[in-house]
Amino acid sequence: MPWRRQLADIRVTEINEALIETFESEGDYVGLGVNLMIEAGSYVCIAASLFKNEEMTWTRNEAILGGLLVRLFKLIDALLDQTCKHRRETSVVLSRLIFECIVNLRYISVHASDDLFHSYRTYSLQHELKLLEKIEANIANRQGVGLPIEDRMIRSILASFAASALTRDEVAANRHRNWSGLNLYERARAVGLDQAYLAAFGGGSHSIHGNWQDLLEYHLEKIDDNSYRPNIHWHVPRPQILEALVILVADAVAEYVNFFTDNNAPEFIQRLGNLQDRTNHLSRLHEAFLIQRMAIA
């Protein structure tokens, strides 16, 4: 199996306790967290090369899982970029997107069925259907005269329906609030990630949407009870999000690997477990560092 050879090429991040005891700032822990996330992203890449046929292709249903895994890798890459640029604001946005991708990947892996895959596709095309209906209404208001841009948009939308093996009538007949019938928190709870959602990632919605809490925390300087100034400076990322995400990425990749190998890749799963062990070790050392620093202060 090619993935076995690829595993051997991945650089394992060492958690050297003696070295870590010399750390003087959280930035040192962020550096190790970045290395662990790079390692996790490498496992994501290897998992994305798994197929259930010799042609090395995914079926349309499998492509949902494969596409989510590729999306996960790209989001990890973007998170690493923004973390290394010391931009906590955008790192928080990306970590929330990564968490949602992990939840969806795990939920579909565990509950895979034709109905669930169909629900995912029809929900995803609700916007396209609404846009198509609006374009057609505009053309009708012009007595059937369509604009060139509208013609291109219609062709693009119909191509998406065809690529999804869905008709517009099927999409229209499956109007629902959320695919799977559950919202993100409910899907997270179904795969045991409800506490992670509440503790670390639910608040990321503020950063996604630019809510008041996001402005207050990152983009405004409070002067007094009713006075504020702009805060244009970037906040430095902290290690906790990286530590948590590495653990969650490893779990998601493990379930993906089991799905595509019929639970017959123990070496791969062992490597992911080892990554989690090292990340948990770093997290404990980081927590001890924070406690010691508070005692000194």
Side-chain angles (χ1 to χ4, degrees), residues 37-80:
M37 184 59 82
I38 290 172
E39 184 180 341
S42 300
Y43 294 127
V44 172
C45 285
I46 294 177
S49 67
L50 298 175
F51 302 93
K52 288 191 173 185
N53 59 42
E54 295 182 357
E55 290 76 22
M56 298 180 66
T57 60
W58 292 313
T59 65
R60 187 177 290 104
N61 286 347
E62 291 170 351
I64 292 174
L65 287 167
L68 284 170
L69 195 72
V70 174
R71 172 180 168 83
L72 177 60
F73 169 75
K74 291 177 180 178
L75 289 172
I76 288 172
D77 183 76
L79 173 64
L80 288 168

Side-chain angles (χ1 to χ4, degrees), residues 11 13-15 20 23 25-42 76 79-81 83-84 237-247 249 275 278-283 286:
R11 181 180 178 182
T13 302
E14 181 184 5
I15 305 301
I20 292 172
F23 285 179
S25 73
E26 275 200 318
D28 296 318
Y29 289 90
V30 171
L32 270 180
V34 165
N35 289 339
L36 289 166
M37 184 59 82
I38 290 172
E39 184 180 341
S42 300
I76 288 172
L79 173 64
L80 288 168
D81 174 77
T83 299
C84 291
R238 300 192 65 198
Q240 290 91 335
I241 288 294
L242 288 172
E243 294 164 0
L245 283 176
V246 170
I247 300 293
V249 167
L275 171 63
R278 284 180 281 118
T279 304
N280 280 322
H281 189 191
L282 177 64
S283 183
H286 175 222

Side-chain angles (χ1 to χ4, degrees), residues 103-123:
V103 169
N104 292 342
L105 187 58
R106 290 190 58 188
Y107 184 87
I108 295 175
S109 296
V110 172
H111 300 281
S113 69
D114 287 341
D115 287 343
L116 181 61
F117 291 127
H118 185 269
S119 171
Y120 182 88
R121 289 196 299 272
T122 55
Y123 175 77

Side-chain angles (χ1 to χ4, degrees), residues 228-265:
Y228 301 85
R229 291 195 182 111
N231 180 2
I232 63 172
H233 301 291
W234 291 96
H235 291 66
V236 177
R238 300 192 65 198
Q240 290 91 335
I241 288 294
L242 288 172
E243 294 164 0
L245 283 176
V246 170
I247 300 293
L248 297 179
V249 167
D251 279 335
V253 173
E255 289 186 355
Y256 183 95
V257 169
N258 282 331
F259 180 88
F260 276 96
T261 64
D262 297 322
N263 302 317
N264 193 30

Side-chain angles (χ1 to χ4, degrees), residues 151-278:
D151 293 336
R152 293 195 300 271
M153 292 173 71
I154 290 173
R155 287 197 300 271
S156 176
I157 292 169
L158 294 180
S160 293
F161 289 162
S164 305
L166 294 169
T167 66
R168 63 181 295 173
D169 290 338
E170 286 181 282
V171 177
N174 286 275
R175 296 184 192 269
H176 42 104
R177 187 176 179 184
N178 292 294
W179 65 271
S180 77
L182 305 175
N183 60 33
L184 176 60
Y185 173 72
E186 291 166 335
R187 290 195 295 274
R189 183 171 58 192
V191 294
L193 293 180
D194 48 324
Q195 292 301 314
Y197 178 93
L198 293 173
F201 297 100
S205 296
H206 293 310
S207 295
I208 292 289
H209 303 295
N211 294 341
W212 170 247
Q213 180 61 27
D214 175 65
L215 303 183
L216 196 61
E217 184 169 0
Y218 295 121
H219 310 298
L220 295 171
E221 178 188 358
K222 189 175 186 297
I223 307 303
D224 57 36
D225 287 346
N226 195 32
S227 298
Y228 301 85
R229 291 195 182 111
N231 180 2
I232 63 172
H233 301 291
W234 291 96
H235 291 66
V236 177
R238 300 192 65 198
Q240 290 91 335
I241 288 294
L242 288 172
E243 294 164 0
L245 283 176
V246 170
I247 300 293
L248 297 179
V249 167
D251 279 335
V253 173
E255 289 186 355
Y256 183 95
V257 169
N258 282 331
F259 180 88
F260 276 96
T261 64
D262 297 322
N263 302 317
N264 193 30
E267 309 101 309
F268 205 150
I269 304 304
Q270 185 178 15
R271 287 289 293 269
L272 293 166
N274 181 265
L275 171 63
Q276 290 179 317
D277 290 341
R278 284 180 281 118

